[in-house]
Amino acid sequence: MRILGIETSCDETAAAIVEDGTKTISNVVASSAEIHAKTGGIIPENAAREQLKCIIPVIEEALNKENSPANIDAIAVTVGPGLVGSLLVGVETAKTLAYAWQKPIIPVNHLLAHLYANWLETETSPQFPAVALAVSGGHTDLILMKDHEQISWIGGTRDDAAGEAFDKSARVLGLGYPGGPAIALEAAKYVVNNKPQEIKLPRPMINEKNFDFSFSGLKTAVIREVQKLKENDQFNDLTIQELSYELQEAITDVLVSKTIKAAEKYQVKSILLAGGVSANQRLREKMQQAVNNKQYTLHIPPSKLCTDNAAYIAVCAHFHRHPTPWSEIKVQPGLSITGEL
Ligand code: KG4
Ligand code: ZN
């Protein structure tokens, strides 16, 4: 079974072919992040315009390695959540191809699909029950997976997502977009410099018994620290590095603590990480340390599969195979991770 996946929910235009839900035949991603770096964040109209320019060449490149649409059994496409203009480009293209090639089309939930990067190119697939932490630019969710189709939401952010906290704080620190990798880079410099730590940030909701998160206060705390440093003429490369380090520690401490608590409560066999923020090296290290000698296994996709791509869209469609007539497929910009397609 070969599925062509198409992903255009935000600023990446992606197409991939995956066989039997596990083997990548091709995986092509074009990103317009550089354009958004110039505007300090994504302007939806710009993202949609770039999607339009890239969609056909990206699908062609993904197919080229395969040679013929005749070898494709189905088309999977992200229908939400995401930016409506961007989503429409992928959805309308997928519908057109499904109609022209007479192929079934499978609508995919982008957030749920992130988790399926953990089934790709691995010899040890996650075992159920599993708890999954989905951390991206727009979402932070903890999910209990009893099986592929038995999924429940157990907690999530009440305000900003973890990626959003990275992105917004990076802007305040003058580090550009996307903020996560920029903050990680500055944090690494702080560790090398070995400067004594003076700045401390809160760990919001870390001791609360629920599985919810709140990251908007952290962004506010960063703004306050920056104001204080500027007033004292101490806002410089070294303090930017220190603030970046402490922000990364604060965010990752909370993510790890809540995920482990959920794993213990639900007595899972696996923990899954997914989404752009799970590319963060410090989060990966801390999570690894936390599961040492535990009865559950940790699954984290390779970094390049954590950020948006279409391979995991095809994998998700393999395990959630609900072909839908093309005329019934609609974009769902506000879809939640457990939302009905
Ligand atoms: O999943 P994703 O690629 O797109 C969405 O669906 O949102 O996630 C993008 C988010 C951005 O907020 C970006 O700053 C963050 O993932 N991110 C990182 C890292 N790489 C990407 N955050 C922390 N550390 C990273 N290395
Ligand atoms: Zn994503």
Side-chain angles (χ1 to χ4, degrees), residues 2 5 8 38 47 70 80 89 109 122 128 135 169 185 202 232 255 258 276 288 320 327 329 332 339-340:
R2 281 187 173 187
T8 66
K38 287 181 197 142
V89 174
N109 179 327
T122 175
F128 296 121
V135 262
S169 301
L185 204 68
N232 297 328
L255 292 176
K258 294 259 167 159
Q288 200 69 59
H320 295 255
S327 57
I329 291 181
Q332 298 185 46
E340 289 282 317

Side-chain angles (χ1 to χ4, degrees), residues 110 114 136-138 163-164 166-167 178-181 184 275-277 279-280 306-308:
H110 175 89
H114 262 295
S136 67
E164 207 171 345
F166 276 117
D167 292 338
V277 178
N280 184 273
C306 290
T307 47
D308 287 352

Side-chain angles (χ1 to χ4, degrees), residues 100-113:
W101 296 343
Q102 294 294 296
K103 304 285 179 192
I105 179 163
I106 303 168
V108 173
N109 179 327
H110 175 89
L111 290 175
L112 181 64

Side-chain angles (χ1 to χ4, degrees), residues 272-287:
L272 276 59
L273 291 200
V277 178
S278 57
N280 184 273
Q281 210 49 48
R282 188 71 179 124
L283 175 63
R284 297 162 83 97
E285 266 168 35
K286 281 186 178 173
M287 204 60 100

Side-chain angles (χ1 to χ4, degrees), residues 269-273 284 287-288 291 296-300:
K269 291 191 179 144
S270 330
I271 292 181
L272 276 59
L273 291 200
R284 297 162 83 97
M287 204 60 100
Q288 200 69 59
V291 303
Y296 35 81
T297 54
L298 175 65
H299 302 259
I300 316 178

Side-chain angles (χ1 to χ4, degrees), residues 1-3 17 66-74 103:
M1 172 91 182
R2 281 187 173 187
I3 298 182
I17 298 171
E66 178 61 9
N67 291 325
S68 162
N71 299 333
I72 302 295
D73 299 296
K103 304 285 179 192

Side-chain angles (χ1 to χ4, degrees), residues 190 193-199 242:
Y190 173 77
N193 287 344
N194 218 2
K195 176 183 180 296
Q197 188 174 353
E198 283 156 29
I199 301 169
E242 184 177 350

Side-chain angles (χ1 to χ4, degrees), residues 228-236:
K228 243 191 315 188
L229 289 167
K230 283 186 174 166
E231 279 162 19
N232 297 328
D233 210 13
Q234 288 177 335
F235 186 64
N236 54 38

